[in-house]
Amino acid sequence: MCRILVIGAGGVGVYFSGRLAQAGAEVTVVARSDYEAVSRAGYAVESIAGDFQFTPAAVLKHASEFEGEADYIILAAKVLPGADAVGLLSPAVRSSKSTIVLIQNGIDIERKVAESFPDNRLLSTVAYIGVSRPAPGRVLHLGSGELKMGDYPAGISAEARRLAALFEAAKVRCELCEDIGFVRWNKLLWNLPFNPVSVLAGGATTKQMTQRDELEGLCRALMREVIAVANACGVALTEANAEAQIEYTRNFPAYKTSMLQDYEAGRELEVEAILGNAVRLAAEHGVPVPHMESCYALLKSVNRIGRNGKER
């Protein structure tokens, strides 16, 4: 039996780990805010792909409580300044046997993990899913539900194939990619415009941001800047990739982005992983990104002040 430890039990982490459990994996979850509810009753997942109950093999408060070694350690926590990926993983990485899997947003998020655990296989994974966690122990899956995965910095290993097979056994499409770096930039082409604009536009859904009006125009301008930075970094994103993202979103159910959900819940936003890293790469390569810089400055202020007007 494949032993899997999941760190970061938000909507994304719970949905995909629950599907792995359906495929026969032994899945242990590190839960924090809803530890009591999940310990008592597990997770109730309401999904467009079929509702299900996910009862983890064990529910832990901290990764150090995990017994033995995991075949896969999945980190699905949000990429926030206070969330140290290496610190979260360290208590669970006990030998080179464990493969580390990052299911997280943003670019340039793998480097520190790879440097800290050079003997462990690292799989970088990009999720395409509309999911929320409306209450403790409850997950709502509204759209999509696919993964793209590959070895960091490139390639497809036997460990990647084994995990992808488990996802496929649970009817989760998991595409293996030789060049996961390109995939991350292509996902940023969606994340960087739609997540920030959803918050800065006062709570706009994906449907409201693709109405061929000023909001869509702003999203397109941000996409052009992402393409320019990616090209400067040697990644061949094109306008065709941007158009595909727009059409994908136009046909998606009206959905609140993960950043908007975090804002409405009073949680810290993933500003650095989605915007900050891209702005810094633009500066390094001398690429002008005025729209990106404006959104970055505004969202940094939102993060600092919060909804209640008090400094964090």
Side-chain angles (χ1 to χ4, degrees):
M1 181 178 290
C2 184
R3 303 187 75 216
I4 298 174
L5 175 64
V6 179
I7 303 171
V12 172
V14 170
Y15 178 77
F16 287 114
S17 59
R19 292 301 187 190
L20 288 171
Q22 287 183 329
E26 178 189 289
V27 181
T28 295
V29 171
V30 177
R32 293 184 297 176
S33 60
D34 53 0
Y35 173 82
E36 297 298 335
V38 177
S39 297
R40 183 174 61 253
Y43 294 100
V45 182
E46 184 179 339
S47 170
I48 59 168
D51 299 349
F52 64 97
Q53 181 73 23
F54 168 36
T55 303
V59 182
L60 312 178
K61 289 185 176 179
H62 194 271
S64 62
E65 300 170 11
F66 186 77
E67 296 182 0
E69 295 177 334
D71 296 299
Y72 295 92
I73 303 171
I74 297 177
L75 180 61
K78 290 187 180 295
V79 183
L80 302 171
D84 174 18
V86 173
L88 290 170
L89 289 165
S90 291
V93 180
R94 294 160 188 169
S95 76
S96 60
K97 174 188 174 183
S98 297
T99 295
I100 298 170
V101 185
L102 302 183
I103 307 181
Q104 296 180 299
N105 285 326
I107 53 170
D108 197 29
I109 64 168
E110 304 97 340
R111 181 172 45 84
K112 287 183 179 179
V113 174
E115 291 172 352
S116 298
F117 306 103
D119 297 327
N120 294 81
R121 181 79 61 184
L122 177 58
L123 305 182
S124 184
T125 310
V126 177
Y128 298 83
I129 187 169
V131 67
S132 63
R133 194 180 57 177
R138 181 169 171 245
V139 170
L140 181 61
H141 171 215
L142 297 172
S144 193
E146 302 178 359
L147 297 168
K148 293 189 178 183
M149 179 170 62
D151 285 44
Y152 175 80
I156 300 172
S157 62
E159 290 85 353
R161 295 186 189 281
R162 182 188 183 195
L163 186 59
L166 277 173
F167 278 120
E168 294 286 352
K171 296 183 171 55
V172 172
R173 185 167 184 266
C174 184
E175 180 182 346
L176 293 173
C177 307
E178 289 279 356
D179 184 4
I180 196 64
F182 174 85
V183 174
R184 279 210 168 271
W185 274 102
N186 196 39
K187 179 64 183 294
L188 190 73
L189 195 56
W190 191 95
N191 271 331
L192 192 143
F194 290 111
N195 271 293
V197 171
S198 68
V199 175
L200 298 174
T205 66
T206 51
K207 187 67 70 177
Q208 291 167 324
M209 290 183 284
T210 51
Q211 295 296 307
R212 297 183 173 86
D213 58 7
E214 294 88 351
L215 280 186
E216 182 175 317
L218 175 57
C219 290
R220 286 181 177 275
L222 286 163
M223 284 182 164
R224 287 192 290 271
E225 293 181 356
V226 172
I227 291 170
V229 180
N231 292 168
C233 293
V235 178
L237 280 184
T238 67
E239 290 285 343
N241 297 125
E243 195 60 38
Q245 295 280 24
I246 289 284
E247 289 307 311
Y248 166 82
T249 308
R250 205 187 306 282
N251 294 303
F252 203 76
Y255 171 68
K256 291 185 177 182
T257 68
S258 60
M259 187 174 281
L260 178 56
Q261 291 178 43
D262 287 341
Y263 174 73
E264 291 182 341
R267 295 188 291 262
E268 195 170 4
L269 312 181
E270 290 184 292
V271 176
E272 297 303 327
I274 292 175
L275 272 165
N277 288 351
V279 167
R280 285 184 282 274
L281 285 169
E284 288 176 20
H285 292 276
V287 178
V289 288
H291 297 88
M292 202 182 290
E293 288 173 341
S294 297
C295 289
Y296 180 47
L298 290 169
L299 281 177
K300 281 183 70 176
S301 178
V302 169
N303 244 0
R304 186 178 65 253
I305 297 173
R307 295 186 70 188
N308 58 11
K310 296 180 180 179
E311 294 276 345
R312 289 185 189 275

